[in-house]
Amino acid sequence: MPVLSLTLFLPLIGALLLLALPRRSAGAAHAVGIGTAGLTLLGALAIWARGAGAGFSQVEEVAWVPSLGAAFRLGVDGISLPLVLLASALFLAVLLFSTEVRERPRSYVALFLFLETSCLGVFLSLDLLLFYVFFELTLVGMYFIISGWGHEDRQRAAVMFFLYTLIGSLPLLLAILALHLHTAPRTFDMRALVAAPPLSGGAALATFLAMLFTFSVKTPLFPLHSWLPAAHVQAPAPGSTILAGVLLKLGGYGFIRFALQMTPDAFRAAAPWVAGLAVFSALYGAMVALAQTDLKRLVAYTSVNHMGYLVLAVSAAAATADRAARTIAVDGATLQMVSHGIVTGVLFLLVGALQDRTRTREMGELGGLVSRIPRLAWCFILAAFASLGLPGLAHFPAEFQMFLGAFRVWPWAAAAAVVGLVLTAALYLRAIRSVFFGEPSGQSAGMRDLGSREAFAIIPLLVLIVAIGVAPRILLDTIHAAAAAILP
Amino acid sequence: MAHDLALVWPEILVLFTATGSLVLEMIRRPRWSCAFTVAGLAVATAVAAGRMEARAAVFSGTLRVDVLLVWARVVLAPATALCSLLAHARAAGGEREATLHALLSYGLLGALLLAGAGDVMFLVLGLLLTSLASFALVAHAADDRGTEAALKYFIFGSVSGAILAFAVTFWFGATGSTLLSGLGRLGGHPWAAALGLAGVLAGLGYKAAVVPFHFWAPDAYDGAPVAVAAYLSVVPKTGAIFALAQVLGQLPADGVAWRPAVALLAAISMSWGNLAALRQESLPRLLAYSSIAQAGYFLVGATALGRSAMAVPALIVFAAAYAAMNIGAFAVVAGTGIDRTALAGVGRKAPLTGVAMVCFLLSLVGVPPLAGFAGKLLLFGAAIDARFGWLAVVAILNSVLSLAVYLRIIVPMYARPGLGEAPVRQSPVVAVAGVALAATLFLGVAARLFFGDGPTVARMDAGPRNGAGPAKARYLVNFPIGSSSGW
């Protein structure tokens, strides 16, 4: 029973089904979308139930071009499985949230389903070419979502997003080709490349730098992060959720799977520099977020901050020969990807809900909303506390492990990164105070509180945030086996 | 002799198709000419597809039936048939319609002669045949713009053809033979080799619209009917590139340093074509500059010839993908209008047309899993394998630049509310666009068709060929490097 292939293509089938619907039927379109996303989540849970751990399991393979060693090859391990779960959960939440979209609903839902297949494909693929195909397809889907349903400056933001991330992803193509050409016999199989990294010396360093470029644009890492604010702010709230919650993880996953596992020696040599960049990026993101007045931009910049910690942890894992430190760092990094995805995803959904009501994102114009819309306010406060790393909520176990792993390798870098936590706390407290507390403005009278549509999307994610915070074992058991075996 | 003729049956069938179309014109039945041409080319393709394993040098070695020619037949003949259908949509009922189809077929014949050239005379002959057919095609509409464009093309092409003919005399003088397989004897004559190469690059580069021999292309594509522009962008260009591959595959490694020259032409063509396309408002002109850039990509593959086993597959796969996506893009333009603003709002008014155009343009950028990606993947792989990594980097930067070019078309398609009326639906245009779309979507996924099947991994190494290999490995994979018998 090819569960992986079914889970992967279910959203695409749903998207094609939508073409059969009449153009105006918004309800039917959303129903198809939610049903498909729900089935996909069930598929992801089935994959989880079948088990994954160290090494790639549940492999499904169909030869594509045997002469080149390219095949349609899917599989999971402990690192990619949590990301698959994250993606399917977030897409379901987003499609539940979007049921009020009335403008070209068919295309909207179809694009999100297409995007879901692309994202799942990136995490599930075990073939370099297949990975790249899905990696690029996410750009196409996101471009059309931003340009079709975004906010006031959407065309410019969408074009910039597409061009910037395409420049970012093309060096990965060259890196893939370089990796492929050095395997003997020539193959695109990721398992072969992870088991026996083929490159060495200058070629390895050049390939690593190409991959570093690509994944730094995607993650994003200073200074290649400048596409992020515009894309996030102009995208519709569900689009921002997917962008921050899933698409940024493609970069983090790439750092682990490609840079760490396929060019380990080059990464080890360059690790101090990458770690320095990561720490700077984390602090930079936090400081710029502290200076924002637009709430959505603020949340967008905190992504730069959180992903900076992730790259620091992965660099520490690359640099050290201490297995225990490496395992803990990769544990933390993977858990961070899941936590950040859920937490920032929820934050963007809440900002979207807020924007629907207030028509503005400027924090200065809002105020005192905790008395007007208490349920939404407290959801936001919970998510914000999760984002700043409050113990008991999702980010804490992840950040604890990442800093512990980094501390064993570069104590000063870890110490500097922890300063970012203080900055993040400051910026969220400031945002909460100016938006939710204080004197309510006149225009917020009669504002509707969190409705059932939004609650169905947001509350389960909040429950997950608390669950991961209190009992991270539910995910860490899966992750740990793979993290321990990450490098031979 | 009979054996040689049997091997060139597809070319003979193309010749019959062309002549038959002229006969139809003479007996005053031009309305059958489109169907006759399409049928004749379909038969030629079928015959060619049944003979993909043929490898021989016929007619005393002057025509080489090898991997390049067999694939050129299978790619270019259907491409010409599609252009024929496109032309029928506009020229139907006109007086000289059959001449149009005849010229398309004659041009195809010239391109096939170029693709299989084994002798410098065939280079000249093929070039002349396609050029003369192309000049007349551009002028077919008999309006002022077409005539002016055709005259510019004619003057440019005549001079370039003369340069080619003159340059190959140096090679004849140095090697004593007009056969391309005799080029191995050029080793001791650096000046003759270099002069000859410069002329060949000029002559074939003009046909392929490579910078700096590209000046005719924007005017010709703009002045010609859209179907003719589609044809010009695919058939003569592919023929010229394959001819260049035939020539470069035979040049001795120590004779003349042609790789850096070809690499430089590739880099300049790609960059110039994309940069110039950024400013165009007329779609055929924009696509002309885009095809100049695509010629640059072809040359990236040509640079790797002889050093990488991926070079020839790259050229062939990219040629097939390019034919599909370019003809598709021109078909959409034929349906909607030649000004960039004619496409405004098409994405909303005619969604299928919009999706098709987006697929063609993204395939031209090289977004997976479309056909253009498969071609570009192999081209970049060949470049890296041949230790021309810098060229691969230039190529990917140009891919991003080309995205900016095509987004200029895509963004108005979806952004503005619909102006004007919905595009006119003519069934030949829709059929052509549909076939092209299917090819664009599936050539990437069906890439294995180009490679044959079986345990052929060892063959992809750029090492000396060891034995013929099992009969299973049919299509692309047997191309020895450094062997005097060529491919």
Side-chain angles (χ1 to χ4, degrees):
Chain A
M1 175 76 167
V3 179
L4 266 69
S5 306
L6 278 176
T7 310
L8 173 63
F9 284 116
L10 212 47
L12 191 62
I13 296 173
L16 292 173
L17 259 178
L18 277 174
L19 296 178
L21 289 175
R23 203 181 282 207
R24 299 266 171 254
S25 57
H30 289 298
V32 169
I34 293 171
T36 312
L39 284 174
T40 311
L41 181 59
L42 282 178
L45 291 170
I47 299 174
W48 195 16
R50 282 163 115 209
F56 298 106
S57 55
Q58 305 184 41
V59 177
E60 295 165 19
E61 183 166 354
V62 174
W64 182 9
V65 184
S67 335
L68 294 179
F72 176 82
R73 205 177 287 121
L74 300 178
V76 279
D77 77 339
I79 310 262
S80 51
L81 179 56
L83 296 171
V84 170
L85 291 168
L86 168 74
S88 31
L90 270 182
F91 270 101
L92 178 59
V94 154
L95 284 169
L96 279 169
F97 188 88
S98 316
T99 43
E100 97 287 7
V101 168
R102 292 272 170 262
E103 189 191 326
R104 287 168 292 129
R106 254 185 354 160
S107 314
Y108 181 88
V109 177
L111 276 170
F112 268 97
L113 290 176
F114 171 74
L115 193 54
E116 181 168 13
T117 292
S118 319
C119 294
L120 289 176
V122 171
F123 296 131
L124 286 174
S125 83
L126 279 188
D127 182 274
L128 291 176
L129 270 191
L130 196 64
F131 177 93
Y132 188 75
V133 168
F134 285 121
F135 197 78
E136 293 277 273
L137 282 178
T138 60
L139 302 184
V140 177
M142 203 69 220
Y143 165 77
F144 280 109
I145 289 176
I146 298 179
S147 76
W149 289 269
H151 298 302
E152 61 279 359
D153 199 17
R154 59 185 176 275
Q155 290 307 328
R156 213 178 57 92
V159 169
M160 176 163 90
F161 166 78
F162 203 170
L163 285 173
Y164 206 129
T165 42
L166 189 71
I167 301 181
S169 53
L170 281 170
L172 180 63
L173 183 60
L174 295 185
I176 286 176
L177 284 167
L179 285 168
H180 164 77
L181 289 170
H182 282 82
T183 51
R186 289 198 179 164
T187 176
F188 282 103
D189 191 344
M190 281 162 81
R191 297 172 293 180
L193 286 158
V194 167
L199 291 168
S200 57
L205 190 61
T207 306
F208 170 74
L209 288 174
M211 294 194 289
L212 179 66
F213 186 85
T214 297
F215 298 125
S216 300
V217 170
K218 207 74 181 155
T219 306
L221 215 55
F222 180 91
L224 298 169
H225 68 287
S226 28
W227 60 272
L228 183 87
H232 267 116
V233 168
Q234 299 302 328
S240 302
T241 306
I242 296 300
L243 190 51
V246 185
L247 291 193
L248 297 194
K249 311 301 168 288
L250 304 185
Y253 177 69
F255 265 114
I256 298 179
R257 185 71 76 217
F258 280 74
L260 182 60
Q261 291 193 296
M262 293 186 196
T263 52
D265 298 326
F267 200 171
R268 184 178 316 125
W273 303 98
V274 180
L277 197 60
V279 171
F280 185 82
S281 184
L283 295 175
Y284 177 86
M287 283 196 274
V288 176
L290 193 53
Q292 294 304 315
T293 56
D294 178 332
L295 188 60
K296 213 170 178 187
R297 255 181 129 82
L298 182 146
V299 179
Y301 273 110
T302 64
S303 293
V304 178
N305 165 268
H306 288 300
M307 292 289 112
Y309 301 144
L310 179 127
V311 179
L312 172 63
V314 179
S315 313
T320 179
D322 174 6
R323 252 199 138 72
R326 190 191 305 147
T327 308
I328 246 194
V330 176
D331 270 348
T334 311
L335 192 60
Q336 166 82 330
M337 286 200 275
V338 177
S339 315
H340 178 262
I342 304 180
V343 171
T344 311
V346 153
L347 278 171
F348 273 114
L349 285 180
L350 285 164
V351 171
L354 199 58
Q355 194 178 357
D356 285 341
R357 289 158 174 74
T358 63
R359 298 277 160 247
T360 178
R361 298 184 301 261
E362 292 293 321
M363 298 192 293
E365 296 171 21
L366 302 166
L369 291 177
V370 73
S371 51
R372 304 276 190 214
I373 41 175
R375 286 204 299 257
L376 196 154
W378 285 108
C379 286
F380 189 95
I381 292 171
L382 180 64
F385 279 165
S387 185
L388 65 88
L390 197 69
L393 297 174
H395 268 293
F396 178 72
E399 283 173 358
F400 185 78
Q401 286 187 301
M402 289 194 299
F403 289 134
L404 187 59
F407 188 80
R408 290 194 189 178
V409 185
W410 298 297
W412 286 108
V418 171
V419 172
L421 288 179
V422 180
L423 290 172
T424 313
L427 71 96
Y428 273 118
L429 288 174
R430 183 173 152 268
I432 293 171
R433 188 192 60 177
S434 66
V435 174
F436 293 108
F437 293 102
E439 282 305 311
S441 61
Q443 59 179 329
S444 60
M447 226 182 254
R448 289 172 5 254
D449 205 349
L450 210 60
S452 56
R453 160 184 69 91
E454 293 148 338
F456 271 124
I458 292 172
I459 304 291
L461 292 178
L462 288 175
V463 169
L464 274 176
I465 291 176
V466 176
I468 296 178
V470 169
R473 268 201 70 171
I474 47 178
L475 281 177
L476 274 178
D477 282 347
T478 316
I479 301 174
H480 188 77
I486 197 95
L487 285 178
Chain B
M1 176 70 170
H3 175 250
D4 285 355
L5 275 180
L7 280 168
V8 296
W9 249 122
E11 281 76 25
I12 296 176
L13 286 170
V14 171
L15 181 59
F16 282 164
T17 311
T19 317
S21 206
L22 273 185
V23 166
L24 283 174
E25 177 92 23
M26 280 177 3
I27 62 175
R28 314 269 169 145
R29 298 240 191 287
R31 257 186 288 157
W32 294 4
S33 57
C34 176
F36 178 76
T37 305
V38 172
L41 291 176
V43 171
T45 311
V47 170
R51 290 156 188 251
M52 297 289 286
E53 296 104 73
R55 299 284 182 271
V58 297
F59 300 115
S60 316
T62 53
L63 188 70
R64 293 153 51 104
V65 180
D66 61 1
V67 64
L68 285 171
L69 180 60
V70 300
W71 276 103
R73 291 167 178 168
V74 172
V75 169
L76 294 180
T80 309
L82 288 175
C83 293
S84 198
L85 278 174
L86 259 183
H88 180 67
R90 286 297 148 118
E95 290 183 349
R96 294 166 292 115
E97 185 197 347
T99 317
L100 182 65
H101 296 298
L103 286 170
L104 288 173
S105 304
Y106 278 122
L108 169 66
L109 184 60
L112 291 178
L113 290 178
L114 276 176
D119 184 293
V120 296
M121 288 294 108
F122 266 66
L123 284 181
V124 176
L125 180 62
L127 194 68
L128 270 179
L129 192 47
T130 50
S131 296
L132 290 173
S134 306
F135 303 151
L137 280 169
V138 171
H140 188 264
D143 56 5
D144 284 344
R145 288 174 67 213
T147 312
E148 179 192 340
L151 198 57
K152 284 186 192 173
Y153 191 10
F154 175 66
I155 295 175
F156 199 97
S158 308
V159 172
S160 304
I163 293 177
L164 173 71
F166 182 57
V168 297
T169 60
F170 286 108
W171 280 355
F172 174 63
T175 62
S177 153
T178 54
L179 288 173
L180 285 182
S181 51
L183 287 180
R185 296 193 285 273
L186 270 180
H189 307 264
W191 279 109
L195 285 171
L197 180 68
V200 167
L201 282 178
L204 292 176
Y206 128 76
K207 202 69 219 163
V210 170
V211 174
F213 315 109
H214 69 286
F215 291 102
W216 59 272
D219 291 319
Y221 286 44
D222 207 16
V226 175
V228 170
Y231 174 80
L232 286 181
S233 72
V234 174
V235 177
K237 188 191 292 281
T238 309
I241 295 286
F242 281 16
L244 197 57
Q246 295 279 15
V247 169
L248 294 177
Q250 298 298 322
L251 282 180
D254 57 335
V256 58
W258 55 267
R259 271 183 229 278
V262 176
L264 193 60
L265 285 181
I268 297 177
S269 292
M270 289 189 280
S271 315
W272 181 270
N274 283 319
L275 283 171
L278 277 175
R279 307 199 35 189
Q280 300 305 320
E281 290 300 325
S282 150
L283 282 174
R285 236 171 222 279
L286 193 152
L287 288 172
Y289 278 109
S290 132
S291 67
I292 292 172
Q294 307 290 334
Y297 288 115
F298 272 115
L299 286 184
V300 169
T303 313
L305 283 166
R307 258 201 213 164
S308 167
M310 289 169 94
V312 171
L315 286 177
I316 292 171
V317 175
F318 191 65
Y322 174 69
M325 51 196 184
N326 234 38
I327 290 181
F330 274 107
V332 172
V333 171
T336 53
I338 62 174
D339 202 66
R340 199 168 67 93
T341 54
L343 277 178
V346 163
R348 310 278 175 100
K349 283 182 306 222
L352 280 180
T353 310
V355 168
M357 192 59 165
V358 166
C359 285
F360 295 135
L361 294 176
L362 288 183
S363 180
L364 282 166
V365 174
V367 172
L370 300 167
F373 168 69
K376 285 202 174 174
L377 172 78
L378 290 171
L379 285 173
F380 300 162
I384 296 181
D385 204 13
R387 301 187 291 283
F388 271 92
W390 67 268
L391 194 56
V393 173
V394 172
I396 65 171
L397 289 175
N398 272 290
S399 293
V400 181
L401 194 51
S402 68
L403 176 65
V405 170
Y406 301 126
L407 278 178
R408 287 182 73 227
I409 305 177
I410 294 179
V411 173
M413 265 169 48
Y414 285 96
R416 299 177 204 160
L419 310 164
E421 63 281 347
V424 175
R425 296 260 178 111
Q426 290 174 294
S427 45
V429 175
V430 171
V432 170
V435 171
L437 183 63
T440 307
L441 289 174
F442 291 114
L443 274 180
V445 177
R448 70 187 302 171
L449 288 179
F450 293 100
F451 284 91
D453 42 55
T456 56
V457 177
R459 282 161 231 280
M460 292 308 291
D461 296 354
R465 186 171 81 145
N466 43 5
K472 262 204 137 187
R474 310 196 305 171
Y475 304 144
L476 272 189
V477 284
N478 282 331
F479 32 85
I481 317 294
S483 148
S484 63
S485 67
W487 309 118

